[in-house]
Amino acid sequence: MEKKIVIIGAGYSGILTAKKLAKKFKKNSNVSITIIDKNPFHTMLTELHEVAASRVDEDSIKISLTKVFAGRNVDVKLDTVTSIDYNGKTVIGSNASYKYDILVLAAGSKPTYYGVPGAEEYTFKLWSYEDAVILKDHIHNTFRKAACEPNTEERRKMLSFYVVGAGFTGVEMIGELAEYVPILCEKYGINKSDVTMFDVDGLSRPIPNLPEKLSDKVAKRLDKMGVQLIMNATVSSVGTDYIELKQNDKILHNTAGTVIWAAGIQSTDVTQNSGSALEITRGGRVQVDSYLRSTKNENVYITGDNMFYIPEGEERPVPQMVENCEQCADVAAHNITCAINGQGKMEVYKPAFHGVMVSIGGRYGVAHVGLPGHFFSLPSFLAMFAKHFINIIYFIQVLGWNKIFSYVKHEFFTIRNCRSFVGGHFSNRTPSFLLVPLRVWLGAVWVFEGIMKIAEGWFNKAMLTDFFGGANSWYNSILGITNTPGGTDAVSSATTAAAEKAAPAADAVTAATGAAADAAGAVADAIGKVLVHWDILGLVKVIFVTGKDLASSTISDYAFKLDIPVMNWFVQTLILPNSGVQIAMQIFIVLSEILIGLALMGGLFTAPAAAFSLILNFMFVTTTGLYLNTFWMIFAAIAVLIGGGRSLGLDYYAMPGLKKLWKRIPLVRKLYIYND
Ligand SMILES: Cc1cc2nc3c(=O)[nH]c(=O)nc-3n(C[C@H](O)[C@H](O)[C@H](O)COP(=O)(O)OP(=O)(O)OC[C@H]3O[C@@H](n4cnc5c(N)ncnc54)[C@H](O)[C@@H]3O)c2cc1C
């Protein structure tokens, strides 16, 4: 009989649980997995503040659920769950009802207002995609209206911003806003001193679960960004244009244009309303046993923010954070599999958390990370790096390459106003039509090289022994190597005599490929100068030489080679001994050069052509080496690698259609190897 698993909520923990279950029951058609969410997309809640303060585009924090589960045995239902009939094992949604054998409750959180009058009505919240977009529009409109307000007093009122809560969410929000304010001021011609920003909290320091030193750093940074921290203050009420605070028995009635509520969370309604069937505890969280099942119902598993669980030996419940979602999804999926299969040993949930990272705007962050019992703080650059890295690890699990590409694009390649920890260095753009002459020239040189090699007889006779040998002899003569073991001289004995013979073959390729072979004729009396000759752990020798004395060397006399024993072995053992293999290799190289060249000239399949151009150059660097005057080919290939054929090239016409076809291939969708 079919077993039905129903998951409520496609947030961090719901998605991961569903994906892991789909993997476990890949070959079992008797198990169905359904995931229900009120949105057709997964929201990266951890990035909401970035949208609210316009650091990244709003669409960058949405991930389509259809894409997440493409090619997987998971049925995605767009529905809002209104209640759960635990006795009848049925989830009731606005559109349909869903029978289950096993239920996973992963419906996440919503803000809690602690009964503060006016808080729910007059503050902005930040706990969903819509919240972030509404707040972003509000901030923008406020500045636009303020710019037209002639009365200074009124303008200042409009531009007073309060964030309630100085935990992670509150600090990240006010930090992001503080970074955005100067940009808005400049855009709307507003004096920065007209804007005031406050972060209020009842506790004595920001982010109290960080060590005091890091809290101090956070406070200093916020201060530097123009944020005033109001600590030890509780909000007693909020109105349309004010916030009332109680601080040390003093009541402060302050004008407030905007109040953002980031003071605390509780479980969503559907979870809290399960009160009679499940054991609901603090913040509407559900008490679970060590296998992540509800203590009152073995068929109901709770994951993510909804679970209340104090691991053995700990004093505090697991944090409502993404790392808990990731770890509990693993255990929940395993235990559900055991329960359904009726075999295997259920796992006890023993989470090990690795710390927290907080960004204060896009350029600064703090982090307290490590392994249980061994935590340390990271400097800002590394903290931001770690935060992005952790996000990427999450995306690998959820949407693979597709999401990583779009994340890196949004966070670095298209970031506005230099709001990234690497500044705007990667987001500056050059119109790609300016690359057209470079692309065509690079292609033409490859075609020329290929044709010249055909003229030299690369299709008819084995020439690689002389070619490589001549090059090696040239390097050896400069390096003063006569007969040493290893790659560089492996062919020298065979080639000293051949060096003269190598000259014509080498001449044909020097312009683009062979660094040294043309000099083979001069092997006996090379003067040369060694600039670099490093042996790195026997794995690679870095060789940089000139064939003349320094004073008379030009750029075409300097040659660079990476001498790699494995590559030498490959050439010596598999290519050179057999003239048939040599000719096959020569034909491959010549055809590659011509095809790469034509592709680049026409701007068709530019990315693979440029990538292959780089591979060929790498082959040349590791066999004959390259003259410095041909290095431009490497840099040109890098320059046209991404989108180089989209301007005045055939890719402009071919790529959109090909991309669509590619995305339709089931395996491609399943492995997420496409980008939008
Ligand atoms: C602004 C912000 C910043 C944060 N920063 C960090 C951070 O830096 N690091 C960190 O570790 N954590 C951070 N968090 C916390 C983290 O996002 C949560 O711990 C995490 O999202 C919890 O995941 P979840 O699976 O329990 O629920 P969620 O991710 O909240 O997902 C719940 C899902 O259930 C759906 N849902 C809810 N009710 C219904 C219903 N009735 N019917 C259908 N669907 C429903 C929702 O649409 C949602 O998709 C942040 C949170 C916010 C809001």
Side-chain angles (χ1 to χ4, degrees), residues 222-391:
L222 289 176
D223 180 55
K224 199 171 157 194
M225 293 170 98
V227 175
Q228 299 174 50
L229 282 171
I230 307 179
M231 296 286 106
N232 302 308
T234 51
V235 179
S236 43
S237 72
V238 185
T240 45
D241 60 354
Y242 75 89
I243 182 167
E244 196 172 86
L245 309 173
K246 192 167 174 227
Q247 191 182 36
N248 305 326
D249 296 331
K250 260 194 338 211
I251 301 287
L252 308 167
H253 188 89
N254 296 350
T255 305
T258 301
V259 181
I260 302 166
W261 194 265
I265 54 169
Q266 56 182 323
S267 288
T268 42
D269 296 340
V270 68
T271 307
Q272 298 213 47
N273 294 343
S274 304
S276 54
L278 311 176
E279 189 185 344
I280 302 286
T281 65
R282 259 187 279 161
R285 294 165 86 179
V286 181
Q287 180 70 53
V288 294
D289 64 13
S290 53
Y291 302 123
L292 302 182
R293 300 171 302 190
S294 153
T295 44
K296 285 175 82 176
N297 190 332
E298 283 200 350
N299 298 316
V300 180
Y301 288 75
I302 320 290
T303 59
D305 279 10
N306 281 174
M307 63 192 272
F308 187 90
Y309 177 64
I310 302 180
E312 204 182 308
E314 302 284 334
E315 284 166 9
R316 297 167 65 173
V318 288
Q320 289 169 296
M321 297 188 72
V322 173
E323 205 182 4
N324 179 51
C325 297
E326 291 173 324
Q327 296 190 27
C328 75
D330 231 1
V331 173
H334 171 83
N335 291 347
I336 291 169
T337 312
C338 294
I340 286 188
N341 291 339
Q343 59 189 41
K345 195 170 178 295
M346 284 205 176
E347 250 178 58
V348 168
Y349 185 42
K350 289 182 187 157
F353 300 115
H354 299 95
V356 289
M357 293 132 226
V358 187
S359 62
I360 303 167
R363 304 182 197 118
Y364 186 86
V366 295
H368 190 57
V369 292
L371 296 169
H374 302 281
F375 277 76
F376 52 90
S377 306
L378 290 178
S380 171
F381 185 87
L382 290 180
M384 290 304 280
F385 180 85
K387 194 164 164 76
H388 289 297
F389 183 73
I390 296 294
N391 280 345

Side-chain angles (χ1 to χ4, degrees), residues 399-527:
L399 205 54
W401 156 255
N402 189 300
K403 187 60 204 167
I404 298 170
F405 181 82
S406 99
Y407 179 76
V408 171
K409 188 171 137 199
H410 285 113
E411 293 282 342
F412 301 107
F413 295 157
T414 57
I415 200 83
R416 295 173 290 244
N417 302 304
C418 310
R419 291 172 70 183
S420 127
F421 77 111
V422 287
H425 289 290
F426 295 95
S427 56
N428 206 10
R429 306 201 136 211
T430 307
S432 58
F433 66 81
L434 294 179
L435 291 172
V436 173
L438 184 64
R439 191 193 78 217
V440 174
W441 182 247
L442 177 64
V445 171
W446 276 124
V447 172
F448 174 77
E449 283 305 315
I451 291 171
M452 289 303 288
K453 286 192 179 82
I454 295 174
E456 292 296 335
W458 275 52
F459 275 5
N460 311 320
K461 52 184 186 222
M463 305 183 81
L464 292 183
T465 305
D466 289 353
F467 185 53
F468 292 146
N472 281 330
S473 297
W474 183 75
Y475 282 108
N476 287 348
S477 69
I478 296 169
L479 296 170
I481 297 171
T482 48
N483 187 20
T484 58
T488 306
D489 72 330
V491 288
S492 62
S493 55
T495 56
T496 309
E500 279 140 48
K501 274 199 279 160
D507 281 338
V509 291
T510 43
T513 58
D518 70 332
V523 69
D525 48 37
I527 315 160

